[in-house]
Amino acid sequence: MKKQDLIFILVALLLIFPFVPNSFLSGFQTEFLYNKEGNWWWAASFFKFALLATMGESIGLRISAGVYNRKGFGLLPRAIVWGFLGIGIKMAFVVYAAGTPALVEKYFGVKGAIDSMKMKDFMEASANGLGGARLFTAFCISAILNLTFAPVFMTYHKITDTHIIDNGGTLAGFFKWIKLKDIFPRLNWSVQWNFIFKRTIPFFWIPAHTITFLLPGEYQILFAAALGIVLGVIMSISNLKTTK
């Protein structure tokens, strides 16, 4: 372990501290991080993804290039992108979590699907005899979400990454107009399809987000943001595949 790894671990622990249950930050966590009423949901979503998912990108860079940051990587622009993507993911979660249970109960014939998702979590649903319905509905939400929303999200994320790198990772360059017609054909669609879509979606993201929708609602977007750390590792692997 190198000095940079120790520094990163210390900084990471400091950044993760606000998410750990403790009396000192209980008010901040209740009113902002985990609020059930939805107050400041967009800011909380932005904060969680900008922090945790960007941390994942740094870890991915460490795996692929041996450093946590470097000139041209654009750590701040990436954090901004992740923040706004987090808002979009939060909205997608609400839409899919509301519509899919109705689909599952009405058209798939799973009784109690809607009621199971109204309960706090899988444990409460199980205690009320709806554990199976909650598990199957969570799986369906995750599957539909990842087979429709996720490919668009992943492609847009790759486009913004390319835009950031093309502009030297600078904040000023980040706010330039994204040249979609130039970037789109330059994406490595072989890796995007054969690795990102065909492997990570069915074998990681669908199971992972099934767990997400088994959790209490206030923790779902936090868990999804934490998965961004894993995404950083996945992206580093895809970058290695691109260079081969």
Side-chain angles (χ1 to χ4, degrees), residues 1-2 5 26 33 36 45-46 48 56-57 80 84 86 99 107 122 129 143 156 193 216:
M1 184 177 291
K2 297 181 178 180
D5 297 313
S26 60
L33 283 184
K36 297 180 180 180
S45 300
F46 187 101
K48 293 170 189 175
E57 295 244 28
I80 295 172
F84 282 105
Y107 295 101
F122 176 72
Y156 181 74
W193 170 254

Side-chain angles (χ1 to χ4, degrees), residues 57 81-82 85 153-161 235:
E57 295 244 28
V81 168
W82 269 119
L85 288 177
F153 158 77
M154 292 172 175
T155 301
Y156 181 74
H157 179 245
K158 194 63 179 178
I159 289 171
T160 56
D161 276 357
M235 295 307 295

